[in-house]
Amino acid sequence: MNHNLYLRFKKQGEPQRSVAQRVFIRGVNGAIISYADVEARSAQLAHALQSWQVRPGDRVVVQVEKSAEALLLYLACLRAGAVYVPLHTGYTLAELEYFIGDARPTLVVCAPDKQTAINALASRPQACTVVTLNADGSDGGLVQCANHQSTEFIEVWRAGSDLAAILYTSGTTGRSKGAMLSHHNLSSNCLVLKDYWHYSSDDVLLHALPIFHTHGLFVATNITLAAGASMILLPKFDPALVQRFLPEATVMMGVPTFYVRLLQESWLNQAATKHMRLFISGSAPLLAETHRLWQQRTGHAILERYGMTETGMNTSNPYQGERVPGTVGFPLPEVSLRVVDPEQGTPMRVDDIGMIEVKGPNVFSGYWQMPEKTRAEFRDDYFITGDLGKIDASGYVHIVGRGKDLVISGGFNVYPKEVENEIDALPGVEESAVIGVSHADFGEGVTAIVVLAESAQLTETHVLTQLKQRLAAFKVPKRVVFVAALPRNTMGKVQKNVLRETYRNLYQ
Ligand code: AMP
């Protein structure tokens, strides 16, 4: 049997797709992509990939703005058996060089203004072609090539374990790791979520998330496809666009920052949301306070779920039944979740905090070209998530902290080590510690605590200007604070908990 995920979407959505003009995507300018268009256009794009020698298993690195064409390119990669590797649009050339060197793609699809620079990258593999797609997906080398291709394409045969995508996570040691996700990982997770959240072809998703991340790409898009449903594709999250298009939607998925921002809008009330079926939140902790305020203003209880790049979704609050604020609900069907002693791996009791570990068809097959790292992150076939949490007496999972000191700013993960490495490399810096500090808008603000070498004269502005050239904007600290020395414990480890406490009111 062919386990190609695209075929699975097609089969699941079959009854709805028989109405050929059924809408898959509606753009903010009114442009419509029907399911018939999906079939024809992704076929043309798949042929274009093959014309650039993209073979099954080859990587296609994609760094483009959010557009319907970019999503169709994802589907074309599935159909052609290629491995889709989406990258954050904010990554600088220095960061891109690492990703291209690591993924060794056959094809890179990028914004027109980056083509020349990527072509010149030293680490670019010899056989790698670089083509363009513009911001709204209407033009570029990819579009021009695809326009001449056939609108029919037979999906490449794939085993369930064959790779569909590699998504890079930020690396704790400064190196990003590519999480390898198979056709089966993605199909199992979206089918489970579709049922769990009662998704149907009547649903219209307001899609305001980025599409280079598991949330906007797999959770949002794959469920829509598997249900034969529709979505309104916003180019980005913008409260004014949400206000305009919410009346036509039934579901919205967001990171907590979306909900915090929307609560500042005067139009948000019961009447504006009364037709909505479901609001979903994830990717970072939703404050219980936000949950309560949202329910007061709209009458809707936000459904919070928990997942990660490596595993897709692991838990969810119930569709029917109580959605408990401050919890991430129950393990999803087919997902086995346990809380264990971080060192010993022995099970913790109810309400005791430990390391969250997961096993199931959703769990990735490892980090790209890092077998050692992969082995280190598994215990008895369970993936060690790095999240600390507990399970309460009613079976609800609570996330209480992050073992890896990850900072989540505006829904994006920032690993302190990567930012610290860049700061420490600046002349005049002795050392630094990067922490997350509570921030009303971003959830957490990336904050750098820096010790200068004697007689160095660096200013906050100077440090930030330098970092902006090296790091994607979301990783650049919101503030830089200079101190004489970092607090350390007796083992010499920097006490980030002390720093977090000291600067906890920095953004108030
Ligand atoms: P990512 O790989 O970017 O999806 O980030 C995954 C991490 O985000 C997880 O390991 C958690 O630390 C965090 N995360 C995701 N969803 C939630 C949630 N609902 N509550 C708390 N943390 C979350």
Side-chain angles (χ1 to χ4, degrees), residues 430-445:
E430 193 165 292
E431 62 171 341
S432 64
V434 166
I435 54 170
V437 173
S438 175
H439 190 293
D441 234 8
F442 292 93
E444 286 183 317

Side-chain angles (χ1 to χ4, degrees), residues 305-319:
R305 94 297 178 282
Y306 156 67
M308 57 205 315
T309 303
E310 289 93 334
T311 64
M313 299 305 106
N314 294 313
T315 74
S316 171
N317 267 281
Y319 185 75

Side-chain angles (χ1 to χ4, degrees), residues 73-122:
L73 173 60
Y74 156 58
L75 297 179
C77 285
L78 293 179
R79 295 183 79 176
V83 181
Y84 186 67
V85 189
L87 294 181
H88 192 298
T89 40
Y91 282 139
T92 62
L93 212 56
E95 289 165 311
L96 272 182
E97 175 142 38
Y98 165 71
F99 292 117
I100 292 173
D102 189 61
R104 305 202 72 73
T106 306
L107 183 73
V108 175
V109 184
C110 66
D113 62 348
K114 288 219 170 118
Q115 189 178 26
T116 309
I118 293 177
N119 258 322
L121 288 180

Side-chain angles (χ1 to χ4, degrees), residues 393-420:
S394 310
Y396 285 84
V397 177
H398 301 236
I399 313 278
V400 300
R402 297 183 299 267
K404 296 172 184 164
D405 269 335
L406 185 71
V407 181
I408 304 186
S409 185
F412 292 125
N413 289 355
V414 181
Y415 280 93
K417 191 78 197 153
E418 192 186 2
V419 185
E420 288 162 9

